[in-house]
Amino acid sequence: MTTHEYPAGATPPLGTPKPAVPRPRTYPGAPADDWLRPQPQPQTGTDPAPSSGTGSLSDPGQLSGTSPLPGTSPLSGTSPLSETAEGADPGRKPAPSRPGRDRYLDLLRSMALVRVVVYHLMGWGWLTVVFPSMGVMFALAGSLMARSLSRPPLGVIRGRVRRLLPPFWAFGAVALAMMFAGGWNPWHDPDHGGTWGLVDLLNYIVPVGAPPFPWSVGSKSGLLEDSWAVQSAGVLWYLRAYLWFVVASPLMLWAFRRAPWVTVLAPLALTAVVGTGLVTIPGETGNAVTDFAVYGGCWILGFAHHEGMLVKVPRYIAISCSALTMAFGLWWASGHLGPDGWDLNDIPLADALWSFGFVVILLQYSPSWQELPGRLARLDKLVTLSNNRAVTIYLWHNMLIMATVPVLDQLYNLPFMENDGATAALDATYTLWMLVLVWPLIGLTILALGWIEDIAAKRSPRLWPNGAKGRKSKVRKSEIRKPKSPKTKGRSTSRGRRTKA
């Protein structure tokens, strides 16, 4: 193709005003191919210093969607946590404290990652309707990018690229080594032959274009199917799209602040042109432009969230317009169903419209949690871990899904599997066992390679950053400094074949 610990704090002082592409299948049920934050720092001309905060795929190494604006929290429409120093004049307005993490946005990012893994394994196209994960991830990244652009743009872009590339290099080194070991020669590749085939390899260093890979490599009787490279490298389109969004964000944010509605709606209009066949751009350039158009609206909605534009729109208007937009998207999809039915990844205009409306609703209703409430609190460590290792999970999950096949195939060699009934039972539940096994494999990959994300973000390497110790420490500190003022109470690859989510 994305990664958290936060103090429990006091509520705002009483009376505080509220501011206004056909794809091969490589395993049973496989879908058609498809898809980072330190604590807020003072505004300076350099990247913020590393911290124990967590990152995400949508925004490598940065905090999730809390409001960067002093005294405001556009996502929730309420003031951020604030403190009054002990012994201060009760009548004096307290200075706002630094915003904490938005666990609601962290939860959304974790849900998007889980949905991507399940989609790629089970092949259920309707999941793109239930939860348009890519649109959600781009929206979260757009919001965080807008916040960071309060600093010099070149420094922000450099920081984002720095956090993204090292995990990508690790994946590329392993993938290329396996491709070359399988006999792939990019000089003689029918689709990448000659000089351009070698030049394309540079996209494994900086993914400004589509990193190349062979249609088939190795043997059908090998541990991995001969199409493993298509599935594994197919997700790298997301990194290309993310990179171009990051580079274009200063200009996009400038345009948004001067003509917000035109800028928000322009990507949908572009999708209606390049995503419907009205205008066809051949090759990988066409794929890149289409991706930019389809998800550009969601990215700019992230700007709108950060700038507080969404909360200025009456909720009934926002929800009504979103529902109409999504309904039109489904209507368009019903007349343009692809080989996988209601898989919106095959229908760009429907994908853009549905994702756009879905994101508006999510951001309109976002509660801006400092801590996961109720029963959701049980998921706190998993949410923190997945946000901290979103890039690792996303880059490796497709290869790990295929790695479950040779592992599960060993079950057929067990003595009791000589029974026809046992063999039939395993055949019937094979995909389910793949889903069960892939999570431990993801966990092992996090332990083995996840620390690269910390190095990229200039943090001390951590093996299992689920926030357990850090959260306890921060809560303790919050309790010690709890204000005593009476005003206070106790977030294509080559050839147009890529794996979307």
Side-chain angles (χ1 to χ4, degrees), residues 245-421:
F245 275 127
V246 166
V247 172
S249 281
L251 178 60
M252 294 166 67
L253 184 58
W254 176 87
F256 173 79
R257 287 172 173 169
R258 284 152 183 78
W261 290 107
V262 173
T263 309
V264 167
L265 299 177
L268 297 181
L270 180 59
T271 306
V273 175
V274 302
T276 61
L278 186 61
V279 172
T280 301
I281 303 176
E284 194 57 39
T285 300
N287 291 329
V289 172
T290 300
D291 291 339
F292 198 92
V294 170
Y295 300 112
C298 294
W299 186 277
I300 297 173
L301 280 177
F303 291 173
H305 155 240
H306 170 268
E307 299 289 303
M309 171 182 168
L310 292 180
V311 297
K312 295 178 182 179
V313 180
R315 178 168 291 179
Y316 74 94
I317 294 180
I319 302 305
S320 298
C321 292
S322 296
L324 290 174
T325 300
M326 296 167 72
F328 182 80
L330 291 183
W331 172 82
W332 179 266
S334 68
H336 300 81
L337 298 180
D340 299 309
W342 286 89
D343 190 329
L344 299 186
N345 289 320
D346 299 327
I347 319 170
L349 181 58
D351 193 8
L353 294 171
W354 182 263
S355 298
F356 186 93
F358 200 95
V359 165
V360 169
I361 294 174
L362 285 180
L363 296 183
Q364 274 284 341
Y365 281 96
S366 87
S368 189
W369 297 323
Q370 287 291 304
E371 299 287 342
L372 294 177
R375 295 181 179 180
L376 290 177
R378 303 173 183 176
L379 303 176
D380 184 82
K381 293 181 181 180
L382 290 177
V383 169
T384 299
L385 178 65
S386 63
N387 276 260
N388 264 315
R389 295 295 181 253
V391 173
T392 300
I393 295 171
Y394 181 73
L395 283 173
W396 293 93
H397 76 275
N398 251 12
M399 188 180 292
L400 295 175
I401 287 174
M402 289 178 288
T404 64
V405 175
V407 175
L408 290 174
D409 282 351
Q410 300 306 309
L411 295 178
Y412 290 100
N413 297 325
L414 296 176
F416 62 86
M417 292 303 296
E418 295 178 1
N419 182 285
D420 291 342

